[in-house]
Amino acid sequence: MNDLPFLLPEYVERLHRTKESMEAAGVEVLLLTDPANLYYLSGYDAWSFYVHQMLVVILEEEQPIWIGREQDANGARLTTWIHRDNIIPYPDDYVQSLQKHPMDFIADCLTQIGQADRRIGVEMDSYYFTAQAYERLKKGMPDARFQDCTLLVNRVRMVKSDQEIAYMLKAARIAEGAMQMALESIAPGVRECDVAANIFHAQVSGTPHFGGDYPAIVPLLPAGEKTSTPHLTWTDRTYKQGDTVLVELAGCYRRYHSPLARTAVIGAPSSLVRDLAEVVIEGLNTTLDAVKPGMTCEEVEWVWRSSIAKNGWLKESRMGYSVGLNYPPDWGEHTASFRPGDQTILQPNMTFHMIPGMWFDAYGVELSETFRVTENGCEVLADFPREVFQCPVDSGVYHPLGGSGA
């Protein structure tokens, strides 16, 4: 048996719950292309998702079937619990070819094993399932009845096992170290790219007890006027006195993420940043205190909305989402969000990234926490002061500018 991140019974249970969802959806065959779902059900872990690959789940079969590029087949043998006979490689002349397509090969395989005329679920809105892939499958299996099952496995993944929670707690330790490194590195005259490099080092080297994995999202580091938007990365620009810097990053262990965001200022913050930070921190604290199983995501967002409304603020975008296992380009699970209308009910061992950032035309403030829902409330995974920081901080010493602690 390979050195799998989970014991075999956990994979069997995951597959069982997936098949229950398939039956409820009226699907007999499920074609998965999201690498997080491949990992979740099989253990497959490789940077091969830039080419077409698939996990096939058939209701009557005890194991899924992995189909991918020939040179990646040994990766499937080394990282999964799947029997060798269920690892099926396609030749390299299918890769990025104008004459043939990997989905032609997959359609032929499914036809040969008698699955081409069944009710087949596909992940229509997966990053990794293209319009061309869908068209080739339909052409290769004209008698199949296709339906969209984009989030079927993602929803199965929402409630974490104890082992998954343990991995996310390790990821949180890595996130703490990476955030500390960021705050120690940001200073006048330092290049943004060098801060990013230090964060990457901390994310991958991890702790003295365990190393880190590559996160699904790179460090996000908008500074100065760029703090008006959350998803900018870095340049070779040098930081200047007075810059506000948003730092959003994650620790990652065995593909499980624990994101963390904080706001830093080089020097004294402006009154705009200070006042907004107080509102954001109060709202974050109030909302985390209110979280408990049985609430809906909409109700969680309402607590935040009510808190900031007392000070005359309104945030239109969602303020959190389900998080955990994933691959680039996103660490979110794409299932539940903290926003009006989301009726997802919180259950113990669901995990979320609560990120009540607020961005305006020339400035912004961002803080976040990853937490798991417990039997009575929630557990914040990272242990990091919930503050706006004055940079650079001394090694191991925080310089908070105000607000409530974690």
Side-chain angles (χ1 to χ4, degrees):
M1 178 63 66
N2 295 330
D3 181 21
L4 296 167
F6 300 93
L7 296 176
L8 183 58
E10 185 157 341
Y11 289 106
V12 173
E13 171 62 19
R14 293 173 178 183
L15 189 60
H16 173 72
R17 287 187 285 120
T18 297
K19 288 181 178 180
E20 287 183 332
S21 296
M22 289 170 61
E23 289 182 310
V27 170
E28 299 168 298
V29 180
L30 182 62
L31 308 183
L32 300 171
T33 55
D34 185 332
N37 292 334
L38 270 67
Y39 178 96
Y40 184 74
L41 293 178
S42 74
Y44 181 66
D45 185 19
W47 191 285
S48 57
F49 43 83
Y50 67 95
V51 297
H52 291 284
Q53 56 189 22
M54 183 174 285
L55 198 71
V56 181
V57 179
I58 301 171
L59 275 179
E60 301 82 5
E61 297 297 326
E62 292 185 359
Q63 290 195 358
I65 299 170
W66 180 93
I67 305 176
R69 188 179 184 181
E70 188 169 28
Q71 63 184 243
D72 294 316
N74 278 342
R77 297 183 185 108
L78 290 169
T79 63
T80 75
W81 63 281
I82 299 174
H83 191 277
R84 280 177 169 265
D85 291 344
N86 280 25
I87 296 173
I88 303 174
Y90 60 77
D92 212 69
D93 58 354
Y94 280 88
V95 176
Q96 298 166 1
S97 168
L98 296 178
Q99 286 72 44
K100 54 200 337 186
H101 194 279
M103 295 299 154
D104 301 338
F105 180 92
I106 290 171
D108 288 342
C109 288
L110 293 173
T111 299
Q112 291 171 23
I113 62 175
Q115 304 298 317
D117 60 350
R118 307 190 76 185
R119 297 189 300 274
I120 299 178
V122 292
E123 296 178 302
M124 292 289 287
D125 202 26
S126 165
Y127 298 124
Y128 316 89
F129 187 68
T130 65
Q132 178 72 292
Y134 185 49
E135 291 300 319
R136 299 302 275 257
L137 284 177
K138 289 196 298 181
K139 181 179 179 181
M141 296 184 289
D143 295 327
R145 288 151 289 171
F146 291 97
Q147 69 184 68
D148 185 11
C149 290
T150 299
L151 296 178
L152 187 148
V153 178
N154 300 57
R155 291 193 176 98
V156 173
R157 286 165 36 199
M158 286 187 68
V159 177
K160 309 299 187 295
S161 69
D162 290 343
Q163 186 64 67
E164 289 177 291
I165 296 297
Y167 287 162
M168 291 186 70
L169 285 167
K170 286 187 174 183
R173 303 289 81 74
I174 296 171
E176 293 163 2
M179 183 62 71
Q180 176 69 18
M181 177 59 70
L183 298 177
E184 291 174 11
S185 302
I186 295 170
V190 174
R191 298 187 304 173
E192 294 174 353
C193 55
D194 292 326
V195 173
N198 288 345
I199 293 172
F200 274 120
H201 184 273
Q203 288 173 315
V204 176
S205 62
T207 78
H209 305 292
F210 49 85
D213 209 338
Y214 60 90
I217 301 177
V218 300
L220 303 175
L221 292 167
E225 189 175 2
K226 292 180 179 180
T227 58
S228 61
T229 185
H231 295 138
L232 300 181
T233 54
W234 60 85
T235 70
D236 60 359
R237 167 189 177 269
T238 57
Y239 291 109
K240 297 178 175 59
Q241 190 72 20
D243 276 350
T244 299
V245 185
L246 307 184
V247 183
E248 183 180 349
L249 50 80
C252 183
Y253 184 80
R254 294 278 189 148
R255 304 304 325 142
Y256 284 83
H257 293 77
S258 182
L260 182 67
R262 291 292 185 266
T263 297
V265 180
I266 302 174
S270 68
S271 59
L272 289 174
V273 169
R274 183 185 291 274
D275 292 346
L276 180 58
E278 290 179 357
V279 172
V280 169
I281 293 170
E282 180 185 3
L284 178 57
N285 289 338
T286 301
T287 308
L288 287 168
D289 288 343
V291 168
K292 61 182 178 181
M295 294 181 74
T296 65
C297 286
E298 179 181 57
E299 289 171 336
V300 173
E301 195 274 346
W302 183 86
V303 175
W304 155 259
R305 182 178 293 261
S306 300
S307 177
I308 65 173
K310 294 183 303 182
N311 296 286
W313 297 94
L314 174 67
K315 173 181 167 66
E316 294 290 352
S317 58
R318 67 178 181 173
M319 54 86 64
Y321 47 83
S322 182
V323 71
L325 159 67
N326 227 325
Y327 285 79
D330 187 21
W331 53 50
E333 292 181 324
H334 302 176
T335 49
S337 294
F338 294 135
R339 60 185 170 201
D342 194 320
Q343 297 301 312
T344 304
I345 297 173
L346 272 59
Q347 301 176 48
N349 272 16
M350 284 185 174
T351 50
F352 292 89
H353 183 209
M354 185 178 286
I355 180 164
M358 298 184 72
W359 308 276
F360 299 94
D361 286 344
Y363 74 104
V365 168
E366 186 175 321
L367 291 92
S368 79
E369 299 288 1
T370 298
F371 68 89
R372 78 173 181 99
V373 181
T374 65
E375 295 293 338
N376 302 306
C378 75
E379 174 193 8
V380 174
L381 301 190
D383 181 11
F384 207 89
R386 204 169 294 150
E387 313 283 354
V388 173
F389 292 93
Q390 186 170 358
C391 286
V393 303
D394 296 333
S395 178
V397 179
Y398 301 108
H399 289 200
L401 295 175
S404 303

